[in-house]
Amino acid sequence: LIGEVADEMNRPCFVIGGYVRDIFLDRPSKDIDIVTLGSGIELAEAVTTKLGKRAHLSTFRNFGTAQVKYSDQKENIEIEFVGARKESYSHDSRKPIVEDGSLQDDQNRRDFTINALALCLNKEHWGMLVDPFDGMNDLKKGIIRTPLDPDITFSDDPLRMMRAIRFATQLNFHIEKETFAAIERNRKRIEIISKERIIDELGKIIRSDIPSRGFILLDDCKLLPIIFPEVAALKGTETIEGRGHKDNFYHSLAVLDNVALRSRNEWLRWAALLHDIGKPRTKRYDSRLGWTFHNHNFIGEKMIPGIFRKMKLPLNEKMKYVQKLVGLHMRPIVLAEEVVTDSAVRRLLFDAGDDIDDLMFLCESDITSKNREKVKRFRDNFELVRTKLREIEEKDSIRNMKLP
Ligand code: ATP
């Protein structure tokens, strides 16, 4: 239908970008981007009229774009319309200066070759693929590559560095060598990107099937210490008097992948990634005990809200839940360096309350946790323990009552 309307208006018209990529990858995709020569808004208006009352049009005249939302019993689709454009950038902003352009100009401004594919919708050439950068070949081979000079692409809009890593993670693609080297060279440019946008991309990484891939790439190109220093600080091991400790970065990623394998709960995944975040600050070597992460001030719990504030994450209920899970999971591990008392584990389970299943899940996914077996054992008898504890507490409160 869009092609027919465009033909009536005598306009070249293409579907472009992520939607085309996802057709070839056989991935579900609901957002359709349409590019035409001339005004995208005019085409959107004509398409909305044709679609009738099930279509709703919003126009953004400042940007020269329009969005049509269409819904019927079967589907909800969003179609973005834009006139083909040419973009140029100033150094301190990712907002481009925009001029009208050709389809080729519009493809040049795309971030990756696989996102620059266009399919013609006009009747005469319906379904013709326009692929000036050999994006199809990259799609087949699983390669993320910029269409033009990667240093210019990333410097113009540094968010593209995060997008490269996010696509590589989501699609299990490989970032081409020159493109990856340019991310490392331009990494400091990420500072002009808002924290919210970075968090959006991190969210997409953490929701993917094997999220560790993204964090390893972020670390390899040295973006991680800039955007998430607390996670980067988990990396590394030290040996003193022949005694070493595990690398908490790779350990946290293993826990994260374990959780991701069995649960789509994003907040549990964040908790898995962050569960050891207090350790770099509390770590010390004691010739009697070896490496210990025990600290009475328990800095970890204080750190977590701080991190989220810095990342400008909304401290909504879900984030509070992440904090709680992380806090609960960290406590016995910190205690583990001393003696893990049964009562510490019991208290942990008790504190977890309704989060008990998620906490158990987090503990089970952490295969190195010294408390796993203990927690499991208590979990098996949880209800029993809970009842017993109530009895003990009642007795304790009676025993502890001071006589006048
Ligand atoms: P997803 O829907 O998973 O985010 P997508 O590729 O559809 O993936 P969108 O952000 O919807 O991502 O963008 C649609 C298209 O717009 C992309 O495929 C790409 O061609 C282009 N695009 C989006 N963001 C950028 C950017 N920062 N720089 C260049 N091109 C971009």
Side-chain angles (χ1 to χ4, degrees):
L1 182 134
I2 297 171
E4 276 170 31
V5 177
D7 279 337
E8 281 165 21
M9 295 171 81
N10 209 6
R11 293 278 200 85
C13 166
F14 301 84
V15 54
I16 193 165
Y19 191 78
V20 181
R21 175 201 70 216
D22 288 344
I23 292 175
F24 291 113
L25 288 176
D26 210 8
R27 282 174 97 221
S29 179
K30 287 219 164 98
D31 298 346
I32 305 175
D33 288 306
I34 302 289
V35 65
T36 182
L37 296 192
S39 160
I41 296 178
E42 280 171 22
L43 179 61
E45 285 168 344
V47 168
T48 310
T49 312
K50 257 269 159 57
L51 284 171
K53 61 180 189 311
R54 290 192 188 282
H56 176 80
L57 172 74
S58 317
T59 53
F60 307 92
R61 296 204 180 264
N62 288 347
F63 297 99
T65 63
Q67 186 191 57
V68 178
K69 283 192 182 165
Y70 177 82
S71 52
D72 60 20
Q73 291 94 329
K74 273 191 263 153
E75 52 191 355
N76 291 311
I77 341 173
E78 281 184 24
I79 315 165
E80 292 272 340
F81 291 82
V82 64
R85 54 171 63 175
K86 197 174 172 176
E87 292 183 343
S88 51
Y89 288 80
S90 66
H91 189 71
D92 54 354
S93 165
R94 63 180 288 265
K95 282 215 183 72
I97 301 153
V98 175
E99 314 164 52
D100 288 349
S102 61
L103 175 68
Q104 173 79 49
D105 290 328
D106 205 274
Q107 288 175 301
N108 287 347
R109 75 178 176 91
R110 305 276 157 175
D111 47 5
F112 306 112
T113 59
I114 59 165
N115 284 347
L117 302 170
L119 285 175
C120 184
L121 295 180
N122 299 97
K123 195 167 176 202
E124 199 183 340
H125 298 292
W126 196 89
M128 179 184 74
L129 178 71
V130 187
D131 177 14
F133 310 111
D134 214 4
M136 265 317 262
N137 196 30
D138 287 346
L139 208 54
K140 278 191 204 128
K141 290 193 173 147
I143 292 173
I144 308 285
R145 184 166 59 90
T146 57
L148 305 175
D149 179 339
D151 282 294
I152 297 173
T153 301
F154 292 133
S155 176
D156 277 353
D157 177 2
L159 183 67
R160 293 169 180 161
M161 300 189 283
M162 293 295 301
R163 286 174 57 89
I165 291 174
R166 184 258 287 187
F167 284 121
T169 312
Q170 284 179 323
L171 306 175
N172 191 16
F173 274 27
H174 169 78
I175 303 176
E176 180 269 332
K177 206 165 144 231
E178 263 314 299
T179 301
F180 195 73
I183 297 182
E184 185 171 344
R185 281 195 293 275
N186 288 276
R187 65 186 184 278
K188 293 221 166 72
R189 295 277 296 150
I190 199 73
E191 280 161 2
I192 70 162
I193 302 296
S194 76
K195 299 274 191 272
E196 288 84 349
R197 296 237 175 224
I198 294 176
I199 285 290
D200 268 359
E201 295 301 326
L202 284 176
K204 288 180 181 173
I205 290 174
I206 216 150
R207 289 193 295 275
S208 61
D209 290 344
I210 307 179
S212 65
R213 283 196 196 119
F215 289 95
I216 288 170
L217 287 171
L218 285 169
D219 179 58
D220 285 348
C221 69
K222 305 193 177 77
L223 267 173
L224 195 64
I226 308 174
I227 60 165
F228 211 158
E230 293 81 2
V231 173
L234 291 168
K235 200 177 165 194
T237 57
E238 261 184 278
T239 305
I240 298 182
E241 294 174 356
R243 290 197 270 189
H245 62 81
K246 71 180 175 221
D247 184 310
N248 284 308
F249 177 63
Y250 293 107
H251 162 70
S252 299
L253 294 184
V255 178
L256 173 60
D257 283 350
N258 262 344
V259 167
L261 209 58
R262 291 146 66 199
S263 166
R264 297 221 64 84
N265 180 340
E266 179 178 354
W267 308 102
L268 204 55
R269 292 177 180 207
W270 278 110
L273 177 69
L274 302 177
H275 76 277
D276 269 347
I277 207 129
K279 283 193 170 173
R281 302 258 189 111
T282 55
K283 175 175 129 174
R284 72 192 156 84
Y285 184 78
D286 177 308
S287 49
R288 190 172 46 91
L289 291 170
W291 287 104
T292 165
F293 299 87
H294 178 68
N295 183 320
H296 286 288
N297 294 329
F298 196 61
I299 197 160
E301 244 171 328
K302 280 193 216 124
M303 267 178 74
I304 299 157
I307 291 163
F308 286 125
R309 247 197 314 280
K310 212 166 84 199
M311 291 164 81
K312 285 204 204 147
L313 270 188
L315 261 183
N316 56 20
E317 286 312 306
K318 285 181 172 171
M319 269 304 153
K320 286 187 191 140
Y321 171 78
V322 172
Q323 285 171 24
K324 188 174 167 195
L325 276 180
V326 173
L328 285 170
H329 185 55
M330 276 199 291
R331 192 174 318 169
I333 291 173
V334 171
L335 287 170
E337 308 300 328
E338 307 281 291
V339 183
V340 191
T341 59
D342 285 1
S343 69
V345 179
R346 275 204 299 266
R347 193 174 60 240
L348 170 87
L349 289 178
F350 214 65
D351 284 354
D354 294 340
D355 297 330
I356 180 69
D357 288 328
D358 285 342
L359 175 64
M360 272 306 303
F361 192 45
L362 198 56
C363 285
E364 279 171 21
S365 302
D366 182 348
I367 53 160
T368 67
S369 171
K370 294 182 180 131
N371 303 302
R372 242 175 111 233
E373 289 311 313
K374 236 172 206 175
V375 174
K376 215 177 198 153
R377 190 150 41 79
F378 278 112
R379 170 62 172 148
D380 291 342
N381 295 309
F382 185 60
E383 279 313 317
L384 205 73
V385 173
R386 216 204 287 251
T387 327
K388 278 259 179 290
L389 266 175
R390 284 210 186 100
E391 285 171 22
I392 294 167
E393 277 184 354
E394 272 167 27
K395 270 191 216 145
D396 275 358
S397 61
I398 296 167
R399 202 183 305 137
N400 293 339
M401 266 196 309
K402 288 212 172 72
L403 291 172

